[in-house]
Amino acid sequence: MKQKIYERYAKLLLRIGCDLRPDEILIIQAPVGTETFVRELARAAYRYGAKYVQVDFQDPELEELRCRCSREKHLTFIPSWKAAYLAQRTGDNIAVIRLISPAVEEGTPLSPSSHRREKIRAGESEALAEYQRVRSDGHISGVTACFPSERWAKKVYPELSEDKALEQLWQDFIHIVRLDRPDPIQVWEQHRLQIAAQKEKLDALNIRRLHLTGPGTDLKIGMAHGSSWIGGSERNKRTGGLYTPNIPTEELFAVPHKDQTEGVVRATLPLNYEGKLINNFRLCFSKGLVTEWSAESGGEVLKSILDTDAGSRRLGEVALVPADSPIYQTGRIFYTTLFDENAVCHLALGRACAASVRGGAESTSEARAQMGINDSGLHVDFMIGSEELDIRAETNQGELYLMKKGRWNI
């Protein structure tokens, strides 16, 4: 049974996810513990005509050891040969699959080494700059997806034994990513078409402002000039093919104007940020800036996010997800942004996707700021949707409800 699921999942990630083409190089980034599935991915990739499969395994515990034990002056260091390796990959025709197995440390206060982790991230960001530029320009097809683990399962199903929790997580996971259908590829192709049709409806409205209301939320969000809606899949400029950046995906997102958010919003699900949970928090905005905040727990972690840089207190994304998504319908919190952001509507603090704004990708940073596009070193999604959330839109034709009680009204 497990082998059949592995085969189906591998096919889904290669065909719908990264849209692997013959003669491309496939790069797989995966946590330790996923070796059996990664071998299945490589096997399937070679059968699809991959020229070469490169696997980069990552061990979070080794990364934590560096964070805690390295001399501080070495934390931003990346060997020149590693930076060259990361940059040189963009010269080949590559596709990327990134697997993650979420980890959560509930109740753990912000680590004293968090500033050290920021230094490590800064060094990695510089080394990845060229790769990120090419990917953001739409010339690399890549997908990020989860892989069930015992640790993640036990967090999602604390009432079950470790074995039973992992079994239950796999059951929900298989349903959420649609592997339980007779033809998952066909179902996903139809799902992407449905998201695309909804995107066309939203773009045709030329929305100027959104008004979100629900328990603890009364928020008005102006949209960036020329912002369009993105979701489901993206088109690779090099191959012309469609790929799906996230699996699962249920969202349609756009860029809010960085200076035009007013009011208060309450998170409806916990935020798992680097393994630390922030629970029951609220943010107050004035002229686009978070001016007040509170959290039931994890407040220090939230403060570290808000204080990251000049753009981390402003919004970079507003995303619409209907409450009838298969993730929300499980009734579970999955404690990973990839799943929880596709359960219900969400917002993001920090960096905006400039490519989703007309002319944004080609513009200078100054021009992007004038368009209302926020810039930051981080992008942190947090969930604000529920079956009690209503969303009205101000358009050129007047006001209308986009969503009522968390579900589409258009």
Side-chain angles (χ1 to χ4, degrees), residues 188-204 229-235 242 249-252 408:
W188 266 94
E189 288 174 343
Q190 183 61 34
H191 178 55
R192 296 198 302 191
L193 286 173
Q194 291 172 345
I195 294 177
Q198 203 70 10
K199 164 189 159 52
E200 289 185 9
K201 292 180 183 179
L202 290 172
D203 281 340
W229 293 85
I230 291 180
S233 58
E234 297 182 18
R235 191 169 297 279
L242 291 176
T249 186
E250 308 288 336
E251 69 173 327
L252 279 162
W408 288 116

Side-chain angles (χ1 to χ4, degrees), residues 178-220:
R178 297 169 170 84
L179 295 177
D180 55 353
R181 314 298 174 85
D183 188 344
I185 300 300
Q186 183 182 44
V187 170
W188 266 94
E189 288 174 343
Q190 183 61 34
H191 178 55
R192 296 198 302 191
L193 286 173
Q194 291 172 345
I195 294 177
Q198 203 70 10
K199 164 189 159 52
E200 289 185 9
K201 292 180 183 179
L202 290 172
D203 281 340
L205 291 173
N206 294 313
I207 297 169
R208 296 198 299 259
R209 189 180 306 275
L210 297 174
H211 187 187
L212 289 64
T213 55
T217 293
D218 187 352
L219 193 70
K220 293 182 179 180

Side-chain angles (χ1 to χ4, degrees), residues 114-282:
S114 61
H115 74 284
R116 296 167 62 85
R117 189 171 286 106
E118 290 296 331
K119 289 190 174 185
I120 292 175
R121 187 180 293 111
E124 292 173 343
S125 178
E126 183 176 347
L128 282 167
E130 178 62 16
Y131 167 76
Q132 295 290 12
R133 183 192 66 78
V134 175
R135 183 164 183 177
S136 64
D137 284 350
H139 288 80
I140 295 175
S141 296
V143 59
T144 298
C146 287
F147 190 84
S149 66
E150 293 87 350
R151 188 176 179 185
W152 182 26
K154 191 58 183 173
K155 179 59 189 177
V156 179
Y157 310 95
E159 74 279 9
L160 300 179
S161 67
E162 190 170 281
D163 290 345
K164 291 293 185 182
L166 184 58
E167 180 182 342
Q168 185 61 53
L169 178 58
W170 267 109
Q171 288 182 16
D172 282 344
F173 180 85
I174 288 168
H175 178 67
I176 287 168
V177 298
R178 297 169 170 84
L179 295 177
D180 55 353
R181 314 298 174 85
D183 188 344
I185 300 300
Q186 183 182 44
V187 170
W188 266 94
E189 288 174 343
Q190 183 61 34
H191 178 55
R192 296 198 302 191
L193 286 173
Q194 291 172 345
I195 294 177
Q198 203 70 10
K199 164 189 159 52
E200 289 185 9
K201 292 180 183 179
L202 290 172
D203 281 340
L205 291 173
N206 294 313
I207 297 169
R208 296 198 299 259
R209 189 180 306 275
L210 297 174
H211 187 187
L212 289 64
T213 55
T217 293
D218 187 352
L219 193 70
K220 293 182 179 180
I221 302 174
M223 305 304 294
H225 307 307
S227 179
S228 60
W229 293 85
I230 291 180
S233 58
E234 297 182 18
R235 191 169 297 279
N236 186 305
K237 293 179 180 178
R238 172 175 55 85
T239 67
L242 291 176
Y243 66 99
T244 307
N246 294 323
I247 289 182
T249 186
E250 308 288 336
E251 69 173 327
L252 279 162
F253 70 89
V255 175
H257 194 290
K258 67 184 185 66
D259 301 323
Q260 295 180 8
T261 300
E262 302 284 340
V264 60
V265 63
R266 181 180 67 86
T268 52
L269 294 175
L271 170 60
N272 175 17
Y273 184 70
E274 296 186 341
K276 311 298 190 297
L277 286 182
I278 310 171
N279 288 290
N280 195 24
F281 64 95
R282 62 191 291 272

Side-chain angles (χ1 to χ4, degrees), residues 296-309:
E296 187 176 288
S297 62
E300 286 299 311
V301 184
L302 178 58
K303 184 177 185 299
S304 74
I305 294 172
L306 296 172
D307 291 345
T308 299
D309 55 36

